[in-house]
Amino acid sequence: MSFVPSVDLSDFLSEDPKRKQKFIDEIGKAFEEIGFVALGGHFLSDELVDSLYSEIKEFFDLPENVKDGYQIEGIGGQRGYTSFGKEHAKGRKEGDLKEFWHFGQYVEGNSKLDEEYPNNVIVKELPKFNEVGKETYKMLEKTAKYVLRALALHLKLDEYYFDDFIKNGNSILRPIHYPPITSEPKNAVRAAAHGDINLITLLMGAHGKGLQVKNHEGEWVDAIAKPDQLMINVGDMLSRLTNNKLLSTIHQVVNPPKELWGTSRYSVPFFMHPVSEMSLNCLENCVDDEHTKLYTDITAGEFLHERLIELGLIKK
């Protein structure tokens, strides 16, 4: 596939069974053939999106010493600030040309998970920052829930298969700032080629060139969403669970042309994770004589820990 298809979540949410099935078929086909889709009809309002971008730009404009005060040691960057160049793609030594913030789960009715997850970090300098971040997190989590319900039906599972696994899941909202490039990067790009760890990723801010997807033929395809769309892709956890029926797609954020080096880029991915106990063992209906089991058994928590080591965010 040489392009990223578009779908509209309002089809799935409609009372019309034909429209609902249309959405299931379209997103299932896209995720099998390229692993990415542009999605309209989500739960983010224009006002919320504008507020979020305003707040994150203000945060990343804060002095370095102030931002550095929000780096929390010992939690693998799961909450708060991660400074420029600290994270790298699996298999690479060069740090990506980005800085970012992490909002995490707002646990409801589960004291065990409340203890397990790190606390969200409050930015004292920006009174609305955390409030707007939480609302964005909730709306993206809600959108992701319905996308996963559609994928469950595509996989011939119960529609609500994922619901209990993603409730209070270890999901992350990551506002990213790719600062202006001031000198020739040495083998570094804004985000090197990688696959995501989680079940699915919902990306805000893919409205200009930069994000590229590697299709099944090994070609790089520009992934550009319309202003009212999110870009959604399959993560490695969903690949494992479906025995690569839904294949996690390698993607990257390339550096802009030299004449645009002086500009910043902002994007905001929401990484939908399940609870740590979720089994990622290949689904029985995705394994047969033609599709042998490709992965060893593992839980979501074990897999996440392995990948955070590979990314350089936690030590062995």
Side-chain angles (χ1 to χ4, degrees):
M1 187 175 281
S2 59
F3 66 97
V4 175
S6 292
V7 296
D8 194 314
L9 187 59
S10 63
D11 287 334
F12 185 75
L13 299 175
S14 76
E15 300 291 324
D16 184 344
K18 289 183 179 178
R19 285 181 64 192
K20 185 173 182 177
Q21 189 60 49
K22 174 176 175 284
F23 180 87
I24 294 165
D25 293 342
E26 287 176 346
I27 199 167
K29 184 174 187 287
F31 276 5
E32 287 190 23
E33 295 188 359
I34 197 168
F36 266 73
V37 72
L39 177 127
H42 50 75
F43 293 102
L44 293 172
S45 67
D46 292 341
E47 293 78 14
L48 180 57
V49 172
D50 290 344
S51 295
L52 181 72
Y53 278 109
S54 175
E55 292 297 319
I56 65 175
K57 286 175 182 177
E58 283 197 52
F59 174 79
F60 289 121
D61 282 342
L62 290 172
E64 292 300 323
N65 66 310
V66 175
K67 291 187 290 187
D68 286 342
Y70 291 110
Q71 293 199 96
I72 312 300
E73 295 298 321
I75 60 171
Q78 291 181 70
R79 301 291 185 274
Y81 177 63
T82 297
S83 58
F84 182 80
K86 191 168 185 178
E87 185 182 69
H88 59 79
K90 178 181 175 182
R92 287 179 67 105
K93 294 180 180 178
E94 299 84 13
D96 290 341
L97 304 179
K98 66 188 179 189
E99 56 180 342
F100 55 88
W101 180 271
H102 276 166
F103 296 100
Q105 183 60 263
Y106 302 87
V107 177
E108 297 175 356
N110 190 318
S111 56
K112 177 178 174 291
L113 290 179
D114 214 8
E115 290 284 325
E116 178 183 327
Y117 297 155
N119 292 326
N120 277 299
V121 179
I122 305 300
V123 177
K124 300 187 295 291
E125 291 79 6
L126 302 173
K128 292 185 179 178
F129 181 82
N130 291 88
E131 175 190 338
V132 172
K134 180 177 181 179
E135 181 65 13
T136 305
Y137 186 106
K138 291 292 187 182
M139 292 301 101
L140 287 168
E141 186 176 48
K142 183 177 179 180
T143 301
K145 177 176 71 173
Y146 286 103
V147 169
L148 286 171
R149 285 181 180 179
L151 293 176
L153 292 170
H154 175 70
L155 294 165
K156 312 301 182 191
L157 302 170
D158 180 83
E159 179 174 349
Y160 307 101
Y161 176 86
F162 291 101
D163 278 28
D164 286 342
F165 295 126
I166 61 173
K167 182 179 180 182
N168 288 326
N170 196 15
S171 300
I172 292 286
L173 177 66
R174 173 189 279 193
I176 303 172
H177 175 221
Y178 303 102
I181 298 170
T182 56
S183 60
E184 187 73 45
K186 296 180 179 178
N187 299 319
V189 294
R190 284 183 158 175
H194 65 283
D196 291 341
I197 301 170
N198 41 289
L199 290 171
I200 57 173
T201 301
L202 289 72
L203 175 65
M204 303 168 61
H207 305 146
K209 278 198 170 186
L211 177 63
Q212 295 183 333
V213 178
K214 184 179 275 189
N215 67 14
H216 294 352
E217 289 73 47
E219 304 161 334
W220 287 107
V221 176
D222 286 328
I224 303 174
K226 296 176 182 176
D228 62 345
Q229 290 179 324
L230 303 171
M231 197 64 72
I232 304 185
N233 64 277
V234 177
D236 292 346
M237 288 185 182
L238 192 57
S239 266
R240 292 186 76 105
L241 185 70
T242 64
N243 201 36
N244 282 3
K245 180 179 175 68
L246 305 181
L247 187 61
S248 178
T249 305
I250 299 297
H251 52 285
Q252 63 185 2
V253 180
V254 297
N255 298 334
K258 201 160 189 175
E259 61 268 21
L260 296 178
W261 277 12
T263 60
S264 285
R265 177 187 175 97
Y266 298 91
S267 65
V268 188
F270 177 78
F271 301 112
M272 170 58 88
H273 282 264
V275 292
S276 299
E277 292 78 19
M278 180 183 180
S279 167
L280 299 180
N281 301 355
C282 298
L283 294 166
E284 290 182 7
N285 63 353
C286 293
V287 179
D288 56 34
D289 291 341
E290 294 182 13
H291 305 89
T292 57
K293 185 179 177 183
L294 299 173
Y295 298 107
T296 56
D297 294 349
I298 197 169
T299 66
E302 291 165 343
F303 183 66
L304 175 61
H305 184 76
E306 285 183 6
R307 289 295 300 275
L308 289 177
I309 292 173
E310 292 169 347
L311 293 173
L313 290 175
I314 60 174
K315 304 294 184 185
K316 285 187 179 181

